[in-house]
Amino acid sequence: MNHSARSRDRGYLRGTLLTPDELVPDGILAFEGDRITYAGPAGGFDDAGWPAPAPLPAGALILPGLVDLHCHGAAGGDFTTSDADGVRRAASFLHAAGTTTLLASTVSAPRADLLAAAVRLGALAREGLVAGIHAEGPFLAPERGGAQDPAFLLPPDPAFVDELIEAADSELVTMTYAPELPGADDLVDRLILRGVIPSLGHTRAADEVAAEALEAARDEMEEAGFGGYAPRPTVTHLFNGMDPLHHRSPGAVSACLRAARSGGAVVELIADGVHVDPALVRTVFELVGAPNVALVSDSTSATGLGDGTYRLGAAHVVVRDGAARLDDGTLAGSTATLLQCVRTAVAAGVPLADAVGSATAVPADVLRLADEVGALRRGLRADALVVSEDLELQAVLRGGTWLPR
């Protein structure tokens, strides 16, 4: 599709539309300015006075813009270490790749570097470039740090949380932590008090420790209110950064699955075909239900580029055949976009509506943005993707503007 004009006035699309309630074979998505004004069957739309609809390829689907809770960069830009131009380049690439709403994820780094990143990312969040900050660490278990440098991991420090929040001008949205570390309870108390979502991950916690942590966080978030939304803690990239599930030592994984199944937590899944076997992705959807799963990309500065050497925070990462690893073979984030993860999940047997919902409505609800993004519904921001029948991207609408591709 060629959209030379970037009008923010009004327009509409006609095609197969995925709404929160159904797949509409002959649907209309209309928008004025940056808002959706109609999303539903063509028979219910009065096109008098509207410009002709944008032509769509045969068989095209219209999906909501995707929402990513966990991504570290793209197109050579790293959210922890790059300057504002590098962050803009990364976020703009991800927007044009279909992720119209995203958190900028940082990795563990020296204290001064994390505070500087918080200032930089907080300013860009206030511009609307990103939806806030996800701090993946530094309060993680060294034995399950993954690609994060153990030299930068710290014991839980609520005072440092306050510093990060102030540096980010309250744009810190979520933080990954290991619940078994001494002081983790006080850390979670401080996060919730400051409106930050605790995300269990990079942990060696036993089943009972993880279960108690998730239940306590859920109860405390409910008591705190969290803006009227149904508050739930999250789980950072389920399976990755955790002890493997074993029938005599289930670790945190079993507790996370139970919590998600009961609606007490949302589990992230990196469905890039590398981090989690596609068959297990499908199994998790079937076990806990799509409303309790958030697909994430865990994208890095290598996303959108070819094989080579890149950065994830301070770490040097080598990408071969699309997989990003440290020199010792440890996986170091992903090179996938969120749309690629949706496509992988659907190919594994996850129903389209479930996979899309876990990359739109579920993360939007986690971010307390369900009244703004995450669905094709009247009044929400005009974010939409046009994709082919096999979910290849054709065009992206963000805030009523067609993005260049």
Side-chain angles (χ1 to χ4, degrees), residues 69 174 197-201 214 232-236 265-268 366:
L69 299 176
T174 181
I197 301 162
S199 187
L200 186 149
L214 290 170
R232 295 187 281 173
T234 61
V235 173
T236 297
V266 170
V267 293
E268 295 179 356
V366 168

Side-chain angles (χ1 to χ4, degrees), residues 132-148:
I133 302 167
H134 160 225
E136 191 175 11
F139 312 123
L140 312 177
E143 303 89 345
R144 285 295 172 192
Q148 307 221 21

Side-chain angles (χ1 to χ4, degrees), residues 51-108:
L56 303 185
L61 302 173
I62 305 169
L63 308 178
L66 306 185
V67 181
D68 200 345
L69 299 176
H70 190 154
C71 48
H72 294 281
D78 175 78
F79 289 144
T80 307
T81 60
S82 290
D83 61 15
D85 287 343
V87 172
R88 290 181 192 280
R89 183 172 65 251
S92 296
F93 174 88
L94 293 171
H95 292 162
T99 304
T100 51
T101 301
L102 60 100
L103 291 183
S105 299
T106 59
V107 294
S108 302

Side-chain angles (χ1 to χ4, degrees), residues 16-43:
T16 301
L17 193 71
L18 184 61
T19 72
D21 302 315
E22 60 182 335
L23 190 67
V24 182
D26 184 17
I28 295 286
L29 176 70
F31 58 94
E32 293 191 60
D34 66 350
R35 297 289 130 178
I36 296 171
T37 57
Y38 181 83

Side-chain angles (χ1 to χ4, degrees), residues 169-394:
D169 198 12
S170 298
E171 296 291 350
L172 180 64
V173 174
T174 181
M175 173 176 273
T176 303
Y177 78 103
E180 73 275 22
L181 298 180
D185 291 346
D186 290 339
L187 175 74
V188 171
D189 290 345
R190 185 64 57 87
L191 291 173
I192 293 173
L193 178 67
R194 300 299 301 268
V196 180
I197 301 162
S199 187
L200 186 149
H202 284 284
T203 174
R204 293 213 65 204
D207 175 279
E208 60 273 16
V209 173
E212 290 174 4
L214 290 170
E215 183 177 3
R218 167 78 182 273
D219 291 346
E220 195 169 341
M221 291 170 75
E222 285 184 343
E223 184 176 344
F226 263 65
Y229 283 83
R232 295 187 281 173
T234 61
V235 173
T236 297
H237 46 47
L238 183 68
F239 302 115
N240 299 112
M242 299 179 180
D243 289 352
L245 182 66
H246 188 278
H247 58 286
R248 287 191 297 272
S249 180
V253 171
S254 59
C256 294
L257 289 170
R258 291 198 310 276
R261 175 68 180 178
S262 70
V266 170
V267 293
E268 295 179 356
L269 277 179
I270 309 173
D272 63 346
V274 176
H275 281 77
V276 182
D277 188 278
L280 188 53
V281 170
R282 175 180 176 177
T283 299
V284 171
F285 272 85
E286 292 174 348
L287 284 175
V288 309
N292 303 310
V293 177
L295 291 178
V296 299
S297 69
D298 201 18
S299 70
T300 61
S301 63
T303 299
L305 304 175
D307 288 359
T309 301
Y310 302 94
R311 293 187 68 174
L312 176 60
H316 291 279
V317 176
V318 177
V319 176
R320 292 193 182 92
D321 299 324
R325 299 179 185 273
L326 301 182
D327 289 339
D328 64 3
T330 301
L331 283 172
S334 165
T335 64
T337 66
L338 188 52
L339 182 58
Q340 289 173 317
C341 293
V342 170
R343 193 159 55 237
T344 298
V346 171
V350 177
L352 174 67
D354 288 349
V356 171
S358 289
T360 55
V362 173
D365 189 65
V366 168
L367 295 176
R368 292 162 280 177
L369 291 176
D371 293 332
E372 178 71 12
V373 298
L376 300 180
R377 188 171 68 243
R378 179 183 173 87
L380 270 61
R381 197 172 74 188
D383 294 350
L385 313 185
V386 178
V387 300
S388 65
E389 289 179 293
D390 56 0
L391 302 182
E392 292 291 340
L393 189 63
Q394 306 294 313

